[in-house]
Amino acid sequence: AQTVTQSQPEMSVQEAETVTLSCTYDTSESDYYLFWYKQPPSRQMILVIRQEAYKQQNATENRFSVNFQKAAKSFSLKISDSQLGDAAMYFCAYSGQGGKLIFGQGTELSVKP
Amino acid sequence: NAGVMQNPRHLVRRRGQEARLRCSPMKGHSHVYWYRQLPEEGLKFMVYLQKENIIDESGMPKERFSAEFPKEGPSILRIQQVVRGDSAAYFCASSPPTGPATYNEQFFGPGTRLTVL
């Protein structure tokens, strides 16, 4: 069975600085997708970034980028120029055959002004 | 194009009552997923449905929980004889029909927060 692990329950970053959230996963599948979701206090799940496992190039979306290490089964999220609005719970998620999402436990990010 | 809609947003039930949670997928979406988020935890997959079919219910508790996605109307997650441990946020997500070798993004609804007294 596939698993996703986020080992940082909480992280803090100064406004305008850079922070990296860690995620590891375990799978025997060769084709899969990895995601980072943001959940603000409103609880709405917002897709931040997506990575296809067959792509070697790391995905980037504006201030958000990932470091995808397939052999190590690692998928970290880097947030550059952190803003107050980035404060939220961040979930790493995996999707393979079957389509369902498997989520990690989450990392609560706080941004200090 | 309206997003995924869930209602009610908040539901309070007493132990032993039934809870019905509704999910209307985005227009053109025929796949629905239900997830549960217990307090201080991540989302856990419950069930995956297509119109009139349950595709994967590996995350559903064996008793008291059921789900359906009829040909017409919303998907329904039904919890019979609720207990305090059922208190959680229940999220629905929808996606369009899956093509070969593609992944279709799941769009999440705002969730229903169930409180069992």
Side-chain angles (χ1 to χ4, degrees):
Chain A
Q2 295 81 25
T3 59
V4 177
T5 302
Q6 293 178 249
S7 58
Q8 305 157 314
E10 299 174 350
M11 290 285 283
S12 180
V13 63
Q14 204 71 36
E15 195 176 5
E17 297 294 309
T18 296
V19 65
T20 298
L21 308 183
S22 301
C23 173
T24 58
Y25 61 96
D26 191 24
T27 184
S28 58
E29 295 177 318
S30 57
D31 292 328
Y32 52 88
Y33 295 81
L34 296 165
F35 309 85
W36 279 97
Y37 279 88
K38 172 184 178 181
Q39 187 179 45
S42 68
R43 288 186 164 263
Q44 178 70 52
M45 295 293 287
I46 301 166
L47 179 63
V48 174
I49 198 164
R50 177 178 92 186
Q51 175 79 44
E52 291 88 343
Y54 63 86
K55 288 187 177 179
Q56 292 187 341
Q57 186 173 6
N58 290 323
T60 299
E61 288 286 342
N62 300 313
R63 298 183 294 108
F64 299 87
S65 61
V66 299
N67 183 4
F68 174 46
Q69 302 289 328
K70 191 172 183 179
K73 294 179 181 172
S74 170
F75 182 61
S76 61
L77 174 70
K78 185 171 85 170
I79 306 174
S80 303
D81 186 25
S82 297
Q83 300 175 359
L84 296 177
D86 294 334
M89 281 290 286
Y90 285 82
F91 292 100
C92 177
Y94 169 102
S95 180
Q97 298 297 323
K100 66 185 179 187
L101 289 165
I102 299 169
F103 289 88
Q105 305 92 319
T107 297
E108 185 166 8
L109 177 68
S110 59
V111 181
K112 298 178 180 177
Chain B
N1 189 6
V4 178
M5 301 181 70
Q6 290 187 249
N7 66 80
R9 293 292 307 277
H10 300 275
L11 182 62
V12 179
R13 285 288 179 265
R14 296 191 180 279
R15 282 177 296 170
Q17 292 184 319
E18 178 180 285
R20 282 188 178 229
L21 288 63
R22 294 174 183 77
C23 169
S24 297
M26 290 178 68
K27 187 176 182 180
H29 288 194
S30 57
H31 297 204
V32 166
Y33 302 79
W34 285 94
Y35 297 87
R36 177 167 67 174
Q37 185 177 29
L38 294 170
E40 310 299 326
E41 293 189 12
L43 279 72
K44 295 283 197 309
F45 167 77
M46 298 182 75
V47 62
Y48 166 30
L49 310 106
Q50 295 178 18
K51 285 283 188 181
E52 299 184 280
N53 285 305
I54 295 175
I55 306 303
D56 180 356
E57 57 182 347
S58 58
M60 284 275 270
K62 300 298 181 191
E63 298 179 352
R64 302 188 297 108
F65 285 73
S66 62
E68 62 177 8
F69 188 17
K71 187 176 181 180
E72 301 292 336
S75 175
I76 306 286
L77 179 67
R78 182 182 177 203
I79 311 172
Q80 295 179 291
Q81 300 174 337
V82 296
V83 301
R84 287 212 173 117
D86 296 333
S87 295
Y90 292 82
F91 289 89
C92 163
S94 74
S95 70
T98 304
T102 61
Y103 172 83
N104 286 300
E105 180 183 341
Q106 293 182 27
F107 294 81
F108 280 83
T112 293
R113 185 172 293 189
L114 172 65
T115 301
V116 180
L117 302 178

